[in-house]
Amino acid sequence: MNWSAFISSYIFAFIVLNVMLGLMAYMTYIERKVMAAMQDRVGPNRTGPFGLLQPIADGVKLLAKEDIVPKNADRLVFLIAPLISFVLAPLSAAVIPFGGTITVFGYDVNLYVADINVAVLYVLALGGMGVYGIILGGYASGNRYSLLGALRSAAQVVSYELVLGLSLVGIFILSGSLSLVEILNAQQQPLTLFGGAIQIPNWYILSQPLGFVLFLIAAVAETNRAPFDLPEAETELIGGFHTEYSGFRFSFFFLAEYINMIVVSFMAATLFLGGIDGPIADGVWWLAAKAALFLLFYIWLRTTLPRFRYDQLMGLAWKVLLPLAVINVALTGLIRLWGLGLL
């Protein structure tokens, strides 16, 4: 067994986990500040310089609040459900390539925790499993509004998980792999036009623009973010699936949502925008900048758009996005066969 590779992967996994948790905490601060700027408000500004200690204050407040379990709740499931969502959320970061291989003290260190040949399916599977926490939390609460929010979440995930997967099939056809490392490497080879006179990045947003738009819409719906936050819908479901949760247990649902946002943003940057590939020098800073654009897009949507009705949510997935995803796969397959001279 290669112990140096194992130890370096373990250390990098520890770093990635803590960075994700730190980003998740301060993503709440950034969202509140950006939304305040968009809506001509101030945002957090009292706790620490520029309000930078507000996430820590929120954590302390939630830890100090009473943890209430409803009388009619299924106690064991009620207590476990938030942990399912929270634990599964950061695991997807294990397969995101934050770079290639670097040498540290004479040892080769990979800037990813694991490179598995079905990395994209691994991420999609974890996203689908994460909704079990929402479903079980709504069911175990003993509240009909919470149960209705959980049922909405199940229907939403089934609908948009299908669109999300199909939107990526075009990339699989072009790259010939489901490994995020292989997909990243394929995008780092520039495309040459007019006999080599012009070179452009081989980012899949250029060859899969429809797939990119479909992925973006489905990813927002998968993470239960506005305008697709139907499982919560506090104006009609008094808070939805987490109505009966309080204290730090409520925050597990809240924080899992933000971790999923961050993971999806890194995934989008890796799959469609070349990941660490940049115009000057490749590096993790390019990946971080591209992911930040997607996170800003999330906030912009929440600030701008009203919530969909439930029939609009389902109609958009099954009547519009799914047919477009199938058409994109068919066209990509035909163009690929034509490029290989098989048509």
Side-chain angles (χ1 to χ4, degrees), residues 175-260:
S175 65
S177 176
L178 276 74
S179 164
L180 283 171
V181 174
E182 293 297 326
I183 291 172
L184 175 62
N185 292 338
Q187 293 179 87
Q188 291 181 303
Q189 306 300 319
L191 289 175
T192 56
L193 302 175
F194 306 108
I198 299 177
Q199 288 189 341
I200 60 173
N202 187 25
W203 296 357
Y204 287 128
I205 190 175
L206 301 176
S207 54
Q208 289 289 297
L210 179 57
F212 172 72
V213 172
L214 294 172
F215 177 87
L216 209 57
I217 296 172
V220 174
E222 274 286 289
T223 49
N224 295 328
R225 290 284 298 184
F228 299 99
D229 54 342
L230 270 295
E232 299 169 16
E234 66 277 359
T235 53
E236 52 191 290
L237 295 176
I238 61 170
F241 64 91
H242 55 57
T243 297
E244 302 297 343
Y245 283 90
S246 61
F248 207 69
R249 207 172 297 279
F250 159 77
S251 71
F252 283 148
F253 285 123
F254 186 67
L255 298 178
E257 181 179 295
Y258 280 87
I259 295 177
N260 285 326

Side-chain angles (χ1 to χ4, degrees), residues 4-139:
S4 63
F6 174 79
I7 292 172
S8 65
S9 295
Y10 181 84
I11 293 172
F12 190 70
F14 179 80
I15 294 171
V16 169
L17 177 61
N18 283 276
V19 168
M20 292 294 291
L21 292 175
L23 284 174
M24 165 265 298
Y26 274 90
M27 187 60 206
T28 62
Y29 169 82
I30 293 169
E31 180 174 42
R32 291 163 74 178
K33 292 295 282 188
V34 172
M35 288 181 67
M38 289 181 172
Q39 297 172 343
D40 196 22
R41 297 184 288 108
V42 177
N45 68 337
R46 298 295 183 90
T47 313
F50 307 105
L52 286 170
L53 298 181
Q54 188 63 52
I56 298 174
D58 290 339
V60 172
K61 178 191 72 173
L62 288 166
L63 280 170
K65 290 177 76 70
E66 183 180 3
D67 185 18
I68 300 171
V69 179
K71 179 180 178 181
N72 296 325
D74 186 326
R75 185 177 181 84
L76 179 61
V77 179
F78 183 85
L79 297 179
I80 292 175
L83 292 174
I84 296 175
S85 295
F86 182 73
V87 170
L88 290 175
L91 294 181
S92 299
V95 295
I96 296 175
F98 296 92
T101 302
I102 61 173
T103 302
V104 179
F105 301 117
Y107 294 98
D108 291 335
V109 178
N110 295 321
L111 295 181
Y112 47 83
V113 178
D115 175 22
I116 56 179
N117 57 1
V118 288
V120 180
L121 293 184
Y122 166 81
V123 174
L124 293 176
L126 286 177
M129 290 174 63
V131 79
Y132 278 98
I134 294 175
I135 295 171
L136 292 175
Y139 154 77

Side-chain angles (χ1 to χ4, degrees), residues 260-300:
N260 285 326
M261 283 172 54
I262 296 168
V263 169
V264 164
S265 298
F266 277 110
M267 284 286 293
T270 302
L271 290 166
F272 290 98
L273 296 182
I276 62 170
D277 189 32
I280 301 174
D282 296 349
V284 70
W285 49 86
W286 289 114
L287 177 63
K290 294 167 186 176
L293 289 176
F294 287 105
L295 290 169
L296 180 62
F297 178 72
Y298 267 106
I299 300 170
W300 185 20

